[in-house]
Amino acid sequence: FSAGVQQLAMVAYVPEALAEKVSAAEWLAHVCGAVQGEVVSPPAAAESPDGGLVASAVVKANADAGKFPLKDKDTAMAAAFAFLRSKGAFPEDNDDSDDDMIFGDDCNLDDYE
């Protein structure tokens, strides 16, 4: 995803190993549907050591209609991640880690000398 002033550019890459789970065309169509994008390059062989397919799309800005690339980028990324999660190709965010914030007076920096 690359948001400029006049458009949002999107590239979908699906490595060969995930081709059975994810269709590059279906993925990009789903994302385009969320932001009224247009496919400009249908899926084609990717120049990658992992093989696979790559496709691209754009979303044109339209200030009169309230369409701005930066705003569309957030919507498009959310749609892309949701699609990948629905196919089991993107991990769920179930992180219950113990990475709590430490504030200055609670950090015990003397323990690290």
Side-chain angles (χ1 to χ4, degrees), residues 20-89:
E20 288 186 25
K21 282 186 175 183
V22 178
S23 159
E26 190 179 330
W27 181 24
L28 199 55
H30 177 81
V31 175
C32 283
V35 290
Q36 300 165 354
E38 176 186 345
V39 175
V40 294
S41 173
E47 293 182 31
S48 167
D50 295 326
L53 298 173
V54 65
S56 61
V58 296
V59 182
K60 300 288 185 182
N62 184 345
D64 295 336
K67 285 193 61 62
F68 300 97
L70 195 56
K71 185 176 178 181
D72 284 337
K73 179 180 177 183
D74 293 338
T75 303
M77 288 179 74
F81 293 142
F83 180 85
L84 292 174
R85 283 189 180 106
S86 76
K87 300 294 183 182

